[in-house]
Amino acid sequence: MPRISALWVTALCALCLQTAALAADTPPASIYLSTDYPSLTLQAGQTSTVSLQLRNQSTPPERLTLSMAGVPKDWKATLLGGGRPVESAMPASNDSLSLQLRLDIPKNDAKSQHTITVHADSSLRHLSLPIDVTLATQLPAQLSVKPELPQLTGSASTSFDYQLTVKNESGQDVLASLAAQAPQYFDATFTEGYGTQQISAVPIKAGESKTVKLHVRPPISAASGEHDIQVQVAADGVKAATTLKLDITGQPALTLAGRDGLMSTQAQIDHASTMPLELRNTGTAVAQDIALDSTAPSGWKVNFEPAQVAHLEPGKTAEVQLHITPSTQSLAGDYMVKLHARSGGQSADGDLRVSVTTSSLWGITGAVLIAIALLVLIGAIARYGRR
């Protein structure tokens, strides 16, 4: 019994210590008004935004009236919530609301330091957040680059166009250089937002933005999957970067030809000839249900065996047999037969030259007829020549 009691006491002490530790890590129940940067430097003549947070820590929701004090006479200060001016806020229990303090600072303000205090008041509490603002005539150079659509999807034959907004967040005009690092054999070029002229740098006035486009063309042999494009903007020793995603979907590419690329054969009139063909998928995706057909002279019989290939992996080759029978009306000579292979939106075409010859039996028959005609002629001369 004493041992069991000791164990219970030890466990209870451990639980009490753990509860105390958790209580120490958890802020007291209340509502807090805070900002990440309570002291900052802004530029006169510019509009700046300071992010605020109103957090409810384990208390019932209550309405808080928002106000400001210490705003200089010529300044315009606005509290925004959800992008709109607000005069009160009510954060839910264990939730927070994001607020913004927007300051429109006149250009001719000479005083270098100000303190603006944001208040959040209710019948239960009075919250105050002082924000120290130091004015500067010129801020250090600062750039940002933001893509409108950071990830695009298409085939290897697609041209990918990204629209980028480059912002000069400093107090001086800059010439921002543009660079893009793409996978090997990918072609990446910059142009103006609404132009076609290629550029490598763009001038941006202080506090303004410029829109540029990045055109990326992958090689036709590019592997399917996701590829990264690193974009960097630099000016006056400062840099900004972003990563773009390019997702290439696989695409089959078909070729149809004879062995070793041979595209000619011989055939006899009214006689079936067979030629082996190689159907190859040089693309990056599986080709499905490949249909084979042809365009031949009138009266010819042309068919494939098989007439359809159900499945052909990238980089693989399938052999098909082409059967050709020229019509009895054909004359000896060269003819053109067009071959087609189609799979979805992909196709392969080839021109096959067919040299048509007459049957050797017809040659023998002709020779016999000529010989008979000669014998008849000789016999006639011998008989009637004596007269």
Side-chain angles (χ1 to χ4, degrees), residues 207-253:
E208 294 187 1
S209 301
K210 280 288 184 71
T211 299
V212 298
K213 282 187 177 180
L214 174 62
H215 303 270
V216 180
R217 183 178 293 276
I220 195 64
S221 59
S224 58
E226 194 173 271
H227 302 265
D228 289 344
I229 310 293
Q230 303 291 336
V231 176
Q232 187 178 85
V233 182
D236 294 342
V238 295
K239 298 179 181 179
T242 187
T243 300
L244 306 175
K245 300 289 184 180
L246 189 153
D247 190 7
I248 295 181
T249 57
Q251 186 175 18

Side-chain angles (χ1 to χ4, degrees), residues 36-54:
D36 291 339
Y37 307 104
S39 179
L40 68 164
T41 300
L42 302 179
Q43 184 178 357
Q46 300 290 328
T47 297
S48 303
T49 302
V50 182
S51 297
L52 311 176
Q53 189 176 63
L54 190 61

Side-chain angles (χ1 to χ4, degrees), residues 39 46 76-77 112 198 220 223 239 259 282 302-303 317 331 344:
S39 179
Q46 300 290 328
K76 182 180 179 181
S112 61
Q198 293 187 16
I220 195 64
K239 298 179 181 179
R259 289 175 179 170
T282 60
V302 180
N303 55 75
T317 301
L331 301 176

Side-chain angles (χ1 to χ4, degrees), residues 38-199:
S39 179
L40 68 164
T41 300
L42 302 179
Q43 184 178 357
Q46 300 290 328
T47 297
S48 303
T49 302
V50 182
S51 297
L52 311 176
Q53 189 176 63
L54 190 61
R55 177 165 181 78
N56 183 336
Q57 182 66 42
S58 304
T59 67
E62 59 183 274
R63 178 170 175 163
L64 296 162
T65 301
L66 303 175
S67 61
M68 291 172 288
V71 179
K73 180 180 178 180
D74 296 333
W75 290 29
K76 182 180 179 181
T78 309
L79 283 171
L80 304 177
R84 302 180 181 88
V86 293
E87 297 180 354
S88 61
M90 184 183 292
S93 181
N94 293 316
D95 199 2
S96 61
L97 293 177
S98 294
L99 302 172
Q100 294 83 37
L101 172 60
R102 187 175 68 188
L103 299 173
D104 295 308
I105 306 173
K107 191 171 184 179
N108 57 356
D109 195 305
K111 188 176 180 181
S112 61
Q113 290 186 337
H114 300 272
T115 298
I116 299 174
T117 304
V118 180
H119 298 286
D121 301 317
S122 71
S123 59
L124 299 177
R125 66 193 81 246
H126 301 281
L127 307 177
S128 298
L129 175 62
I131 300 174
D132 297 326
V133 177
T134 300
L135 294 183
T137 57
Q138 186 171 327
L139 295 179
Q142 184 177 356
L143 294 173
S144 66
V145 55
K146 183 178 181 181
E148 181 179 345
L149 296 173
Q151 182 164 354
L152 298 178
T153 301
S155 66
S157 59
T158 303
S159 178
F160 297 81
D161 293 334
Y162 299 88
Q163 185 163 298
L164 305 167
T165 300
V166 182
K167 186 174 183 180
N168 175 13
E169 300 178 350
S170 66
Q172 57 186 353
D173 299 348
V174 299
L175 180 64
S177 63
L178 308 169
Q181 184 177 358
Q184 190 176 23
Y185 305 123
F186 281 60
D187 182 34
T189 56
F190 290 95
T191 64
E192 292 182 308
Y194 300 98
T196 58
Q197 181 65 42
Q198 293 187 16
I199 58 175

